[in-house]
Amino acid sequence: MSNLQRVMMKSRLPPMCPNPRFPKPSDRGFRRQTDYNPLMWDEFFAEKKDVETKQGKFRVYLSAPTEPGAPLLVLLHGGGFSALSWAHFNSEITKLIQCQCLAFDIRGHGDTYTEEEDDLSAERLATDVGEVIQAMYGESAPPIILMGHSMGGAICVHAANMFVLPSLLGVVVIDVVEGTALEALASMQSFLRSRPSTFKSIQHAIEWCVRSGQVRNVESARVSMPGQIINIETKKLATNELPLKVEGSSEEKLEFKHPNAIAEDAEAGDTASASTDATAMAPPVVNVRKYAWRIDLSKSEKYWEGWFSGLSQKFLDIHVPKLLLLAGIDNLDRALTVGQMQGKFQLQVLARCGHAVHEDRPHEVAEVLATYLIRNRFAQPTADGQFLRHMPAC
């Protein structure tokens, strides 16, 4: 029988009964399962190393090296996050321009362990940036673009004003403004108390991260969240447990119950007896408190005002070109509004994203930065970056 005959004969047959085990997305009650399994760092970075300084050991992630003279993007994460929050951004920006990315865990975060881990003052954190770069490159550091998010953005401003990086070429700050930051400090403790203190698994932590809105991009949360929690028993970062062992068969996860299916009496009886047996044979309840936060941010309250006080004027006083990325135009305070009207820095607003702008929309942030660096002749475009669309900015 030819294929044409087979198709014609099938078209005359009555429709087949849907298989209750495999519902269609259009069926009522169907919900596509989201993958909350964690991702490894090496899917995004080429290398990780521990850099020793006088203060301790700093965990550093690097992208693949590029041509000589290309800028080095030093990426500073926000409070409570880790260097892995830059994973997707790193993959996107290296596709568009010739550069190398360097992201490291700030003191008290991730896999960085130092003396006086509780010392999170702006001056101490800014000095750490200079010491890490000095330990890695000495006096031959490449041109540096210093980029930070939230608390990391404030540290960028302090580091630029303290001149800890002699080869500094430019500063990029993501979603941190003095006025709104100081106003938010009043409710910060209540926000921290509203977060769960423990998680039963890494997947549970990733799911909370997405559902709570801390990160709206599931793929970003899958790689960044394991760098923010530690195993309560071993006291080690969750990233040290990856990759996770696969438990259970995949066939069990794919079984769905059709919403229109009606169980027979015999089946219902079998199900009831099976559930009774399963309950009797169930293992004892295990401790669900397996993971906790790497850092207790509530203990760093005494440093919060020092991070953000006078930040706007310090940002305007930086002697190198500056770029400010915000999640909303209403976040600008008076000093920055006047400075922006005077052309002292470039402003870019990305809508439809949360506070973690570089995690929610890594491709758009990479496009903004690549366009900025190419226009200022700080970097050369790659083959993919030759036709960048210039996003409107002011």
Side-chain angles (χ1 to χ4, degrees), residues 62-75:
L62 290 162
S63 64
T66 184
E67 61 183 18
L72 175 69
L73 272 60
V74 178
L75 310 174

Side-chain angles (χ1 to χ4, degrees), residues 261-337:
I262 301 176
E264 299 291 341
D265 294 340
E267 295 178 358
D270 294 342
T271 304
S273 60
S275 62
T276 304
D277 296 339
T279 304
M281 300 175 60
V285 179
V286 296
N287 182 17
V288 296
R289 298 175 64 255
K290 189 173 182 181
Y291 297 93
W293 295 103
R294 162 67 173 90
I295 179 174
D296 186 357
L297 285 176
S298 61
K299 296 181 179 179
S300 63
E301 183 177 9
K302 58 183 178 181
Y303 300 113
W304 293 350
E305 189 172 350
W307 294 343
F308 307 115
S309 182
L311 186 65
S312 294
Q313 191 57 49
K314 291 179 181 178
F315 176 73
L316 296 174
D317 291 340
I318 296 176
H319 66 286
V320 296
K322 303 171 286 293
L323 172 64
L324 177 62
L325 274 71
L326 296 179
I329 189 63
D330 54 341
N331 293 345
L332 278 181
D333 58 18
R334 180 186 178 91
L336 289 181
T337 301

